[in-house]
Coordinates of all heavy atoms in Angstrom, one line a residue:
M1 N 116.7 60.5 135.7 CA 116.2 61.7 136.3 C 116.2 62.8 135.2 O 117.1 63.0 134.5 CB 117.2 62.0 137.3 CG 116.5 62.7 138.5 SD 117.5 62.7 139.9 CE 117.4 64.3 140.4
T2 N 115.2 63.5 135.3 CA 115.0 64.6 134.3 C 115.7 66.1 134.9 O 115.3 66.2 136.0 CB 113.6 64.8 133.9 OG1 112.8 65.2 135.0 CG2 113.1 63.6 133.1
G3 N 116.2 66.8 134.1 CA 116.7 68.1 134.6 C 115.5 69.2 134.4 O 114.5 68.8 133.9
P4 N 115.8 70.5 134.9 CA 114.9 71.4 134.9 C 114.4 71.7 133.4 O 113.2 72.1 133.1 CB 115.5 72.5 135.4 CG 116.7 72.2 136.1 CD 116.9 70.9 135.5
A5 N 115.3 71.8 132.4 CA 115.0 72.0 130.9 C 114.0 71.0 130.3 O 113.1 71.3 129.6 CB 116.3 72.1 130.0
E6 N 114.3 69.7 130.7 CA 113.4 68.7 130.3 C 112.0 68.7 130.9 O 110.9 68.4 130.3 CB 114.0 67.2 130.5 CG 115.3 67.0 129.5 CD 116.0 65.8 130.0 OE1 115.4 64.9 130.9 OE2 117.0 65.5 129.3
A7 N 112.0 69.0 132.2 CA 110.7 69.2 132.8 C 110.0 70.4 132.3 O 108.7 70.2 132.2 CB 110.9 69.4 134.4
A8 N 110.6 71.4 131.9 CA 109.8 72.6 131.4 C 109.2 72.1 129.9 O 108.2 72.6 129.6 CB 110.7 73.7 131.2
Q9 N 109.9 71.4 129.2 CA 109.4 70.9 127.8 C 108.3 69.9 128.1 O 107.5 69.8 127.1 CB 110.6 70.3 127.1 CG 111.6 71.4 126.6 CD 112.8 70.7 125.9 OE1 112.8 69.4 125.9 NE2 113.7 71.4 125.3
E10 N 108.2 69.1 129.1 CA 107.2 68.2 129.3 C 106.0 68.8 130.1 O 105.1 68.0 130.5 CB 107.8 66.9 130.0 CG 108.8 66.3 129.3 CD 109.4 65.1 130.2 OE1 108.9 64.8 131.1 OE2 110.5 64.6 129.7
R11 N 105.9 70.1 130.3 CA 104.9 70.7 131.0 C 103.4 70.5 130.4 O 103.4 70.5 129.2 CB 105.1 72.2 131.0 CG 104.0 73.0 131.7 CD 104.4 74.4 131.5 NE 103.2 75.2 132.2 CZ 102.2 75.7 131.6 NH1 102.0 75.4 130.2 NH2 101.3 76.4 132.1
D12 N 102.7 70.1 131.3 CA 101.3 69.8 130.8 C 100.4 71.1 131.1 O 100.2 71.3 132.4 CB 100.8 68.6 131.5 CG 99.4 68.3 131.1 OD1 98.8 68.8 130.2 OD2 98.6 67.6 131.8
P13 N 100.0 71.8 130.2 CA 99.3 73.1 130.6 C 97.9 72.8 131.1 O 97.3 73.8 131.7 CB 99.3 73.8 129.2 CG 99.3 72.6 128.2 CD 100.1 71.7 128.8
G14 N 97.3 71.6 131.1 CA 96.0 71.2 131.5 C 95.0 72.0 130.8 O 95.1 72.2 129.6
L15 N 94.1 72.5 131.5 CA 93.0 73.2 130.8 C 93.1 74.9 130.9 O 92.3 75.6 130.5 CB 91.6 72.9 131.5 CG 91.1 71.5 131.2 CD1 90.0 71.2 132.0 CD2 91.0 71.2 129.8
Q16 N 94.4 75.3 131.5 CA 94.4 76.8 131.6 C 94.3 77.5 130.2 O 93.6 78.6 130.3 CB 95.8 77.0 132.2 CG 95.9 78.5 132.2 CD 97.5 78.8 132.9 OE1 98.2 78.0 132.9 NE2 97.7 80.2 133.0
P17 N 95.0 77.1 129.1 CA 94.7 77.8 128.0 C 93.2 77.8 127.4 O 92.8 78.8 126.9 CB 95.6 77.1 127.0 CG 96.8 76.4 127.7 CD 95.9 76.2 129.0
E18 N 92.6 76.8 127.7 CA 91.2 76.7 127.3 C 90.4 77.6 128.0 O 89.5 78.3 127.6 CB 90.8 75.2 127.5 CG 89.4 74.9 126.9 CD 89.0 75.3 125.5 OE1 89.9 75.3 124.7 OE2 87.9 75.6 125.1
R19 N 90.7 77.6 129.4 CA 89.8 78.5 130.2 C 90.1 80.0 129.9 O 89.2 80.8 129.8 CB 90.3 78.2 131.6 CG 89.6 77.0 132.3 CD 89.8 77.1 133.9 NE 91.1 77.3 134.3 CZ 92.1 76.4 134.5 NH1 91.9 75.1 134.4 NH2 93.3 76.7 134.9
T20 N 91.5 80.3 129.5 CA 91.8 81.7 129.2 C 91.1 82.0 127.9 O 90.5 83.2 127.7 CB 93.3 81.9 129.1 OG1 93.8 81.5 130.4 CG2 93.7 83.2 128.7
R21 N 91.1 81.1 127.0 CA 90.4 81.4 125.6 C 88.9 81.6 125.8 O 88.4 82.4 125.2 CB 90.7 80.1 124.6 CG 90.7 80.4 123.2 CD 91.0 79.3 122.3 NE 91.1 77.9 122.8 CZ 92.0 77.2 123.2 NH1 93.3 77.6 123.3 NH2 92.0 76.0 123.7
L22 N 88.4 80.8 126.6 CA 86.9 81.0 127.0 C 86.5 82.4 127.6 O 85.6 82.9 127.3 CB 86.3 79.8 127.7 CG 86.3 78.5 127.0 CD1 85.9 77.3 128.0 CD2 85.2 78.6 125.9
A23 N 87.6 82.8 128.5 CA 87.4 84.0 129.1 C 87.4 85.1 128.2 O 86.7 86.1 128.2 CB 88.5 84.2 130.2
W24 N 88.4 85.0 127.1 CA 88.5 86.1 126.1 C 87.1 86.1 125.3 O 86.7 87.2 124.9 CB 89.7 85.8 125.3 CG 90.9 86.4 125.7 CD1 91.9 85.8 126.4 CD2 91.3 87.8 125.7 NE1 93.0 86.7 126.7 CE2 92.5 87.9 126.4 CE3 90.7 88.9 125.2 CZ2 93.1 89.1 126.5 CZ3 91.3 90.1 125.3 CH2 92.5 90.2 125.9
R25 N 86.6 84.9 125.0 CA 85.3 84.9 124.3 C 84.2 85.6 125.0 O 83.4 86.2 124.4 CB 85.0 83.5 123.8 CG 85.9 82.9 122.8 CD 85.6 81.6 122.3 NE 86.7 81.3 121.4 CZ 86.7 80.3 120.5 NH1 85.6 79.8 120.3 NH2 87.7 80.1 119.6
R26 N 84.1 85.2 126.3 CA 83.1 85.9 127.2 C 83.2 87.3 127.2 O 82.1 88.1 127.1 CB 83.0 85.3 128.5 CG 82.5 83.9 128.7 CD 82.4 83.4 130.1 NE 83.6 83.5 130.8 CZ 84.5 82.6 131.2 NH1 84.4 81.5 130.6 NH2 85.5 82.9 131.9
T27 N 84.3 87.7 127.3 CA 84.6 89.3 127.3 C 84.3 89.9 126.0 O 83.8 91.0 126.0 CB 86.2 89.6 127.7 OG1 86.6 88.9 128.9 CG2 86.5 91.0 127.8
T28 N 84.6 89.2 125.0 CA 84.3 89.6 123.6 C 82.8 89.8 123.4 O 82.3 90.7 122.9 CB 84.9 88.8 122.5 OG1 86.4 88.7 122.7 CG2 84.6 89.4 121.2
L29 N 82.1 88.7 123.9 CA 80.5 88.7 123.8 C 80.1 89.9 124.7 O 79.1 90.6 124.3 CB 80.1 87.4 124.3 CG 78.6 87.3 124.4 CD1 78.0 87.5 123.0 CD2 78.2 86.0 125.1
A30 N 80.6 90.2 125.9 CA 80.1 91.2 126.7 C 80.3 92.6 126.1 O 79.5 93.4 126.0 CB 80.8 91.1 128.1
C31 N 81.5 92.7 125.5 CA 81.8 93.9 124.6 C 80.9 94.2 123.4 O 80.4 95.3 123.2 CB 83.3 94.0 124.2 SG 84.3 94.3 125.4
T32 N 80.6 93.1 122.8 CA 79.7 93.1 121.7 C 78.2 93.6 122.0 O 77.5 94.4 121.5 CB 79.6 91.8 121.0 OG1 80.9 91.3 120.7 CG2 78.6 91.8 119.9
V33 N 77.8 93.1 123.3 CA 76.4 93.5 123.8 C 76.5 95.0 124.1 O 75.5 95.6 123.8 CB 76.1 92.6 125.0 CG1 75.0 93.0 125.7 CG2 75.8 91.1 124.5
V34 N 77.5 95.4 124.8 CA 77.6 96.8 125.1 C 77.5 97.7 123.9 O 76.8 98.7 123.8 CB 78.8 97.1 125.9 CG1 79.1 98.6 126.0 CG2 78.6 96.5 127.3
A35 N 78.2 97.3 122.9 CA 78.3 98.2 121.6 C 77.0 98.1 120.9 O 76.5 99.2 120.5 CB 79.5 97.6 120.7
V36 N 76.4 96.9 120.8 CA 75.0 96.8 120.1 C 74.0 97.6 121.0 O 73.2 98.3 120.4 CB 74.7 95.3 120.1 CG1 73.2 95.3 119.6 CG2 75.5 94.7 119.1
L37 N 74.0 97.5 122.2 CA 72.9 98.2 123.1 C 73.2 99.8 123.0 O 72.3 100.5 122.9 CB 72.9 97.8 124.5 CG 72.5 96.4 124.8 CD1 72.5 96.0 126.2 CD2 70.9 96.3 124.4
A38 N 74.5 100.1 122.9 CA 74.8 101.6 122.8 C 74.3 102.2 121.5 O 73.7 103.2 121.2 CB 76.3 101.8 123.0
A39 N 74.6 101.4 120.4 CA 74.0 101.8 119.0 C 72.6 101.9 118.9 O 72.0 102.7 118.4 CB 74.6 100.8 117.9
K40 N 71.9 100.9 119.6 CA 70.5 100.7 119.7 C 70.1 102.0 120.4 O 69.0 102.7 119.9 CB 70.0 99.6 120.3 CG 68.4 99.4 120.3 CD 68.1 98.2 121.2 CE 66.5 98.2 121.4 NZ 66.0 99.1 122.3
Q41 N 70.5 102.4 121.5 CA 70.1 103.7 122.4 C 70.3 104.9 121.4 O 69.4 105.6 121.5 CB 71.0 103.6 123.6 CG 70.6 104.8 124.4 CD 69.4 104.6 125.2 OE1 69.0 103.6 125.5 NE2 68.9 105.7 125.7
A42 N 71.5 105.0 120.8 CA 71.7 106.2 119.9 C 70.8 106.4 118.8 O 70.3 107.4 118.5 CB 73.3 106.3 119.6
V43 N 70.5 105.3 118.1 CA 69.6 105.3 117.0 C 68.2 105.5 117.3 O 67.6 106.4 116.7 CB 69.9 104.2 116.1 CG1 68.9 104.0 115.0 CG2 71.4 104.0 115.6
H44 N 67.7 104.7 118.2 CA 66.2 104.7 118.4 C 65.7 105.8 119.4 O 64.5 106.2 119.3 CB 65.8 103.3 118.9 CG 65.9 102.2 117.9 ND1 65.1 102.2 116.8 CD2 66.7 101.1 117.8 CE1 65.5 101.2 116.0 NE2 66.4 100.5 116.8
D45 N 66.5 106.4 120.3 CA 66.1 107.2 121.2 C 66.6 108.7 120.7 O 66.3 109.6 121.6 CB 66.7 106.9 122.6 CG 66.1 105.7 123.2 OD1 64.9 105.3 122.7 OD2 66.5 105.1 124.1
G46 N 67.0 108.8 119.6 CA 67.3 110.1 119.2 C 68.2 111.0 120.0 O 67.9 112.1 120.5
T47 N 69.5 110.5 120.4 CA 70.3 111.3 121.3 C 70.9 112.4 120.7 O 71.6 113.2 121.3 CB 71.3 110.2 121.9 OG1 72.1 109.9 120.7 CG2 70.7 109.1 122.6
G48 N 70.8 112.7 119.4 CA 71.5 113.7 118.7 C 72.8 113.5 118.2 O 73.3 112.3 118.3
P49 N 73.4 114.5 117.7 CA 74.8 114.2 117.0 C 75.8 113.8 117.9 O 76.7 112.9 117.7 CB 75.2 115.6 116.4 CG 73.9 116.5 116.4 CD 72.9 115.7 117.5
A50 N 75.9 114.2 119.3 CA 76.8 113.8 120.1 C 76.6 112.4 120.6 O 77.6 111.6 120.7 CB 76.6 114.6 121.4
G51 N 75.4 111.9 120.6 CA 75.2 110.5 120.8 C 75.6 109.6 119.7 O 76.0 108.5 119.9
L52 N 75.3 110.1 118.6 CA 75.7 109.4 117.3 C 77.1 109.1 117.2 O 77.7 108.2 116.8 CB 75.1 109.9 116.1 CG 73.5 109.8 116.0 CD1 73.0 110.5 114.7 CD2 73.2 108.4 116.0
I53 N 78.0 110.2 117.5 CA 79.4 110.2 117.4 C 79.9 109.3 118.5 O 80.7 108.6 118.2 CB 80.0 111.6 117.6 CG1 79.6 112.5 116.5 CG2 81.4 111.6 117.9 CD1 79.9 114.0 116.6
A54 N 79.3 109.3 119.7 CA 79.6 108.4 120.8 C 79.4 107.0 120.3 O 80.2 106.0 120.6 CB 79.0 108.7 122.0
A55 N 78.3 106.7 119.6 CA 78.0 105.3 119.2 C 79.0 104.8 118.1 O 79.4 103.8 118.1 CB 76.6 105.3 118.6
A56 N 79.3 105.8 117.3 CA 80.3 105.6 116.1 C 81.7 105.2 116.8 O 82.4 104.1 116.5 CB 80.4 106.6 115.3
L57 N 82.1 106.0 117.9 CA 83.3 105.7 118.4 C 83.4 104.5 119.3 O 84.3 103.6 119.4 CB 83.7 106.9 119.5 CG 84.0 108.2 118.7 CD1 84.2 109.3 119.9 CD2 85.4 108.0 118.0
C58 N 82.1 104.1 119.9 CA 81.9 102.8 120.6 C 82.1 101.7 119.7 O 82.8 100.7 120.0 CB 80.6 102.9 121.2 SG 80.1 101.6 122.4
L59 N 81.5 101.7 118.4 CA 81.7 100.7 117.5 C 83.2 100.6 117.0 O 83.7 99.5 116.8 CB 80.8 100.8 116.3 CG 79.2 100.7 116.7 CD1 78.4 101.1 115.4 CD2 79.0 99.3 117.2
L60 N 83.8 101.7 116.8 CA 85.3 101.7 116.5 C 86.2 101.0 117.6 O 87.1 100.2 117.3 CB 85.6 103.1 116.3 CG 87.1 103.1 115.6 CD1 87.3 102.6 114.3 CD2 87.5 104.7 115.7
V61 N 86.0 101.4 118.8 CA 86.6 100.6 119.9 C 86.3 99.3 120.0 O 87.3 98.4 120.3 CB 86.3 101.5 121.3 CG1 86.9 100.7 122.4 CG2 86.8 102.9 121.2
W62 N 85.0 98.9 119.8 CA 84.7 97.5 119.8 C 85.5 96.7 118.7 O 86.0 95.5 119.0 CB 83.2 97.5 119.5 CG 82.7 96.1 119.3 CD1 82.5 95.0 120.3 CD2 82.2 95.5 118.2 NE1 82.1 93.8 119.7 CE2 81.9 94.2 118.4 CE3 82.1 95.9 116.9 CZ2 81.3 93.2 117.4 CZ3 81.5 95.1 116.0 CH2 81.3 93.8 116.1
L63 N 85.6 97.3 117.6 CA 86.4 96.6 116.6 C 87.8 96.5 117.0 O 88.5 95.3 116.7 CB 86.3 97.3 115.3 CG 84.9 97.3 114.5 CD1 85.0 98.1 113.2 CD2 84.6 95.8 114.0
G64 N 88.4 97.4 117.6 CA 89.7 97.4 118.1 C 89.9 96.2 119.1 O 90.8 95.5 119.1
F65 N 88.9 96.2 120.0 CA 89.0 95.2 121.1 C 88.9 93.6 120.4 O 89.5 92.8 120.7 CB 87.9 95.3 122.0 CG 88.0 94.3 123.2 CD1 88.8 94.5 124.2 CD2 87.2 93.2 123.2 CE1 89.0 93.6 125.2 CE2 87.3 92.2 124.0 CZ 88.2 92.3 125.2
L66 N 88.0 93.7 119.5 CA 87.8 92.3 118.7 C 89.2 91.8 118.0 O 89.5 90.6 118.0 CB 86.8 92.4 117.6 CG 85.3 92.3 118.1 CD1 84.4 92.5 117.0 CD2 85.0 91.1 118.8
R67 N 90.0 92.9 117.5 CA 91.2 92.5 116.9 C 92.1 91.9 118.0 O 92.9 90.9 117.7 CB 91.8 93.7 116.1 CG 93.1 93.4 115.5 CD 93.6 94.6 114.8 NE 94.9 94.2 114.2 CZ 95.6 94.8 113.4 NH1 95.2 95.9 113.0 NH2 96.7 94.4 113.0
V68 N 92.2 92.6 119.0 CA 93.3 92.2 120.2 C 92.8 90.8 120.6 O 93.6 89.8 120.7 CB 93.2 93.2 121.3 CG1 94.0 92.6 122.4 CG2 93.9 94.5 120.8
A69 N 91.4 90.6 120.9 CA 91.0 89.4 121.4 C 91.2 88.2 120.5 O 91.5 87.1 120.8 CB 89.4 89.5 121.8
H70 N 90.8 88.5 119.2 CA 90.9 87.5 118.2 C 92.4 87.1 118.1 O 92.7 85.8 118.0 CB 90.5 87.9 116.8 CG 90.5 87.0 115.8 ND1 89.8 85.7 115.9 CD2 91.3 86.7 114.7 CE1 90.1 85.1 114.7 NE2 91.1 85.6 114.0
H71 N 93.3 87.9 118.1 CA 94.7 87.7 118.0 C 95.1 86.7 119.3 O 95.8 85.8 119.1 CB 95.6 88.8 117.9 CG 97.1 88.6 117.8 ND1 97.9 88.5 118.8 CD2 97.8 88.2 116.7 CE1 99.1 88.1 118.5 NE2 99.1 88.0 117.2
R72 N 94.6 87.1 120.5 CA 95.1 86.4 121.6 C 94.5 85.0 121.7 O 95.1 84.0 122.1 CB 94.5 87.2 122.9 CG 95.0 86.6 124.2 CD 96.6 86.6 124.2 NE 97.2 85.9 125.3 CZ 98.3 85.4 125.5 NH1 99.2 85.5 124.5 NH2 98.7 84.8 126.5
I73 N 93.3 84.9 121.2 CA 92.6 83.6 121.1 C 93.2 82.7 120.2 O 93.5 81.5 120.5 CB 91.1 83.7 120.7 CG1 90.3 84.4 121.9 CG2 90.6 82.3 120.4 CD1 88.8 84.8 121.5
R74 N 93.7 83.2 119.1 CA 94.5 82.3 118.1 C 95.9 82.0 118.7 O 96.3 80.9 118.6 CB 94.8 83.1 116.9 CG 93.6 83.0 115.9 CD 93.9 83.7 114.6 NE 95.3 84.4 114.5 CZ 95.5 85.1 113.6 NH1 94.7 85.4 112.6 NH2 96.6 85.8 113.5
T75 N 96.5 82.9 119.4 CA 97.8 82.5 120.1 C 97.5 81.5 121.2 O 98.5 80.6 121.3 CB 98.4 83.8 120.8 OG1 98.5 84.9 119.8 CG2 99.7 83.6 121.5
L76 N 96.6 81.6 122.0 CA 96.4 80.6 122.9 C 96.1 79.2 122.3 O 96.3 78.1 123.1 CB 95.2 80.9 123.8 CG 95.5 82.1 124.8 CD1 94.2 82.6 125.5 CD2 96.5 81.7 125.9
G77 N 95.6 79.1 121.2 CA 95.2 77.8 120.6 C 96.2 77.2 119.8 O 96.0 76.0 119.5
G78 N 97.3 78.0 119.6 CA 98.3 77.5 118.6 C 99.5 76.7 119.2 O 100.1 75.9 118.5
A79 N 99.7 76.9 120.3 CA 100.9 76.2 121.0 C 100.7 75.6 122.3 O 99.7 76.0 123.1 CB 102.0 77.3 121.2
P80 N 101.5 74.5 122.7 CA 101.2 74.1 124.0 C 101.5 74.9 125.1 O 101.0 74.8 126.2 CB 102.1 72.7 124.0 CG 103.0 72.8 122.9 CD 102.4 73.9 122.0
R81 N 102.4 75.9 124.9 CA 102.9 76.8 125.8 C 102.9 78.1 125.3 O 103.8 78.6 124.7 CB 104.2 76.5 126.5 CG 104.4 77.4 127.6 CD 105.8 77.1 128.2 NE 105.9 77.9 129.5 CZ 106.5 77.6 130.5 NH1 107.0 76.3 130.7 NH2 106.4 78.2 131.6
P82 N 101.7 78.8 125.3 CA 101.5 80.1 124.6 C 102.5 81.1 125.2 O 102.7 81.2 126.4 CB 100.1 80.5 124.7 CG 99.4 79.5 125.7 CD 100.5 78.5 125.9
A83 N 102.8 82.0 124.3 CA 103.6 83.2 124.7 C 102.8 84.1 125.7 O 101.6 84.2 125.4 CB 104.3 84.0 123.6
P84 N 103.5 84.8 126.5 CA 102.7 85.8 127.3 C 102.2 86.9 126.4 O 102.7 87.3 125.4 CB 103.8 86.4 128.3 CG 105.0 85.4 128.2 CD 104.8 84.8 127.0
M85 N 101.1 87.5 126.9 CA 100.4 88.6 126.2 C 101.4 89.8 126.2 O 101.9 90.3 127.2 CB 99.2 89.0 126.7 CG 98.3 89.9 126.0 SD 96.7 90.2 126.6 CE 95.9 91.1 125.3
P86 N 101.6 90.4 124.9 CA 102.6 91.6 124.9 C 101.9 92.7 125.7 O 100.7 92.9 125.7 CB 102.7 91.8 123.4 CG 102.3 90.7 122.7 CD 101.3 89.8 123.6
V87 N 102.8 93.5 126.3 CA 102.3 94.7 127.0 C 101.4 95.6 126.1 O 100.4 96.1 126.6 CB 103.5 95.5 127.7 CG1 103.0 96.8 128.2 CG2 104.3 94.6 128.5
R88 N 101.8 95.8 125.0 CA 101.0 96.8 124.0 C 99.6 96.2 123.8 O 98.7 96.9 123.8 CB 101.8 96.8 122.6 CG 101.1 97.8 121.6 CD 102.0 97.9 120.5 NE 101.2 98.7 119.5 CZ 101.4 98.8 118.3 NH1 102.4 98.0 117.7 NH2 100.9 99.6 117.4
A89 N 99.6 94.9 123.6 CA 98.2 94.2 123.4 C 97.3 94.4 124.6 O 96.1 94.6 124.6 CB 98.4 92.9 122.9
A90 N 98.0 94.1 125.8 CA 97.3 94.2 127.0 C 96.8 95.7 127.4 O 95.7 95.9 127.9 CB 98.1 93.9 128.3
L91 N 97.6 96.7 127.0 CA 97.2 97.9 127.1 C 96.1 98.4 126.1 O 95.2 99.1 126.6 CB 98.4 99.0 127.0 CG 99.5 99.1 128.1 CD1 100.7 99.8 127.7 CD2 98.8 99.6 129.4
T92 N 96.2 98.0 125.0 CA 95.2 98.3 124.0 C 93.8 97.6 124.5 O 92.8 98.3 124.4 CB 95.6 97.6 122.7 OG1 96.8 98.1 122.3 CG2 94.4 97.9 121.7
A93 N 93.8 96.3 125.0 CA 92.5 95.7 125.4 C 92.1 96.6 126.7 O 90.8 96.8 126.7 CB 92.9 94.3 125.9
T94 N 92.8 97.1 127.5 CA 92.5 97.7 128.6 C 91.8 99.1 128.3 O 90.8 99.4 128.8 CB 93.6 97.9 129.6 OG1 94.2 96.7 130.1 CG2 93.2 98.8 130.9
L95 N 92.5 99.7 127.3 CA 92.0 101.1 126.9 C 90.7 100.9 126.2 O 89.7 101.9 126.4 CB 93.0 101.8 126.2 CG 94.3 102.3 126.8 CD1 95.4 102.9 126.0 CD2 93.9 103.2 127.9
C96 N 90.6 100.0 125.4 CA 89.5 99.6 124.7 C 88.2 99.4 125.6 O 87.1 100.0 125.4 CB 89.6 98.5 123.7 SG 90.5 98.9 122.2
T97 N 88.5 98.6 126.5 CA 87.3 98.4 127.6 C 87.0 99.7 128.4 O 85.8 99.9 128.4 CB 87.8 97.2 128.6 OG1 88.3 96.1 127.8 CG2 86.8 97.0 129.6
I98 N 87.9 100.3 128.7 CA 87.5 101.6 129.4 C 86.8 102.6 128.5 O 85.9 103.2 128.8 CB 88.8 102.3 129.9 CG1 89.3 101.4 131.2 CG2 88.6 103.6 130.5 CD1 90.7 101.8 131.7
A99 N 87.3 102.8 127.3 CA 86.7 103.6 126.3 C 85.4 103.1 126.0 O 84.4 104.0 125.8 CB 87.5 103.7 125.0
L100 N 85.2 101.8 125.8 CA 83.8 101.3 125.5 C 82.8 101.7 126.6 O 81.7 102.1 126.3 CB 83.8 99.9 125.3 CG 82.7 99.2 124.8 CD1 82.2 99.6 123.4 CD2 82.9 97.7 124.8
A101 N 83.1 101.6 127.8 CA 82.4 101.9 128.9 C 82.1 103.5 128.9 O 80.9 103.9 129.2 CB 83.0 101.4 130.2
A102 N 83.0 104.3 128.7 CA 82.8 105.7 128.6 C 82.0 106.2 127.5 O 81.2 107.0 127.8 CB 84.1 106.4 128.6
F103 N 82.1 105.6 126.5 CA 81.2 106.0 125.3 C 79.8 105.5 125.5 O 78.8 106.2 125.2 CB 81.8 105.4 123.9 CG 83.0 106.1 123.5 CD1 84.0 105.3 123.0 CD2 83.4 107.4 123.8 CE1 85.3 105.9 122.6 CE2 84.6 108.0 123.4 CZ 85.5 107.2 122.8
A104 N 79.7 104.3 126.1 CA 78.4 103.9 126.4 C 77.7 104.8 127.4 O 76.4 105.0 127.3 CB 78.4 102.3 126.9
V105 N 78.4 105.1 128.5 CA 77.7 106.1 129.4 C 77.5 107.4 128.8 O 76.4 108.0 129.2 CB 78.8 106.3 130.6 CG1 78.3 107.4 131.5 CG2 78.9 104.9 131.4
A106 N 78.3 108.0 127.9 CA 78.0 109.2 127.2 C 76.8 109.1 126.4 O 76.1 110.1 126.2 CB 79.2 109.6 126.3
I107 N 76.4 108.0 125.8 CA 75.3 107.8 125.1 C 74.1 107.9 126.0 O 73.0 108.6 125.6 CB 75.2 106.6 124.2 CG1 76.3 106.6 123.1 CG2 73.9 106.2 123.6 CD1 76.6 105.3 122.4
V108 N 74.1 107.2 127.2 CA 72.9 107.2 128.0 C 72.7 108.5 128.7 O 71.4 108.9 128.9 CB 73.2 106.0 129.0 CG1 72.2 106.1 130.1 CG2 73.3 104.7 128.4
V109 N 73.8 109.1 128.9 CA 73.6 110.5 129.8 C 73.2 111.5 128.9 O 72.9 111.9 127.9 CB 75.0 110.9 130.4 CG1 74.8 112.1 131.3 CG2 75.2 109.8 131.5

């Protein structure tokens, strides 16, 4: 008979880490599309200095999100039981997503 400690070590994660890794990649792709479209809008439609600043901030936030996402994707792929996402990384990803949306809206308006 196996005890709780042995059962935890024999845990089969199934496809959960792979699904989470794919979700991070989809989110990264969506953020990339938003950043590229915001930059295109700012450059080609002549939004003025405020639009160019918003586009630059949008790209900066996008790079921050890429860093957090890349680190999480590597963490998920490295261990059979990945560590939970640190609160700081989760807050950074959330703030980057909100800021990216806000800067994109600022460019359009």
Side-chain angles (χ1 to χ4, degrees):
M1 208 160 134
T2 62
E6 292 173 3
Q9 290 176 353
E10 296 175 12
R11 177 183 177 269
D12 179 19
L15 293 176
Q16 180 189 3
E18 180 65 20
R19 285 192 309 266
T20 305
R21 206 170 26 255
L22 289 172
W24 274 101
R25 289 184 186 202
R26 283 191 307 270
T27 305
T28 302
L29 179 62
C31 287
T32 302
V33 169
V34 169
V36 168
L37 290 176
K40 179 185 176 286
Q41 177 79 18
V43 171
H44 289 296
D45 291 341
T47 58
L52 291 176
I53 291 171
L57 290 172
C58 191
L59 292 175
L60 185 65
V61 167
W62 172 71
L63 288 173
F65 184 82
L66 280 181
R67 181 176 174 172
V68 171
H70 180 69
H71 182 267
R72 188 61 188 160
I73 289 169
R74 281 190 346 199
T75 301
L76 288 169
R81 185 174 190 145
M85 186 173 192
V87 173
R88 183 176 177 200
L91 286 174
T92 302
T94 302
L95 291 175
C96 285
T97 304
I98 292 168
L100 187 63
F103 293 142
V105 168
I107 291 170
V108 174
V109 174

